[in-house]
Amino acid sequence: YDEAFVSFQKAIEAGSQAVGASYNNLGVIYAIKGDLQKADDKFETAKNLGFTEAETNLAVIRKVMKTNDNNLIAQLIFKERF
């Protein structure tokens, strides 16, 4: 995940057209690593940038935070292609 994390960070810094998807994917990585607040922040940013799948991820991560059911993390949407 570390290499993917760096790649998404670089895409954001470079102003890639896929910035929203990159924030979303960072959120998925944070969720998998257990940092749910950072995941929520990244999904919120992705949503605000118009990445619609982030809305679903926000709902999932907030449910995880509310219920402590980490099995729900498997429902997160990861954007594989830009």
Side-chain angles (χ1 to χ4, degrees), residues 4 12-13 23 26 35 44 53 63-65:
I12 290 167
E13 291 167 6
Y23 273 107
L26 287 174
D35 193 335
E44 186 70 41
E53 290 92 337
K63 188 170 184 180
V64 171
M65 292 166 70

Side-chain angles (χ1 to χ4, degrees), residues 3-82:
E3 285 181 37
F5 186 88
V6 170
S7 294
F8 297 130
Q9 284 284 51
K10 286 181 180 179
I12 290 167
E13 291 167 6
S16 166
Q17 290 181 321
V19 171
S22 294
Y23 273 107
N24 178 77
N25 291 348
L26 287 174
V28 173
I29 292 170
Y30 277 123
I32 291 169
K33 289 185 166 194
D35 193 335
L36 303 181
Q37 187 56 58
K38 282 188 180 177
D40 185 275
D41 293 344
K42 299 303 179 192
F43 294 142
E44 186 70 41
T45 300
K47 182 188 87 163
N48 291 339
L49 290 168
F51 189 72
T52 57
E53 290 92 337
E55 292 180 31
T56 300
N57 286 349
L58 268 173
V60 170
I61 205 67
R62 289 176 179 168
K63 188 170 184 180
V64 171
M65 292 166 70
K66 184 176 181 180
T67 65
N68 292 317
D69 184 357
N70 289 333
N71 293 319
L72 296 172
I73 291 173
Q75 297 176 9
L76 294 173
I77 299 167
F78 187 83
K79 183 73 172 175
E80 294 181 40
R81 297 185 188 267
F82 297 93

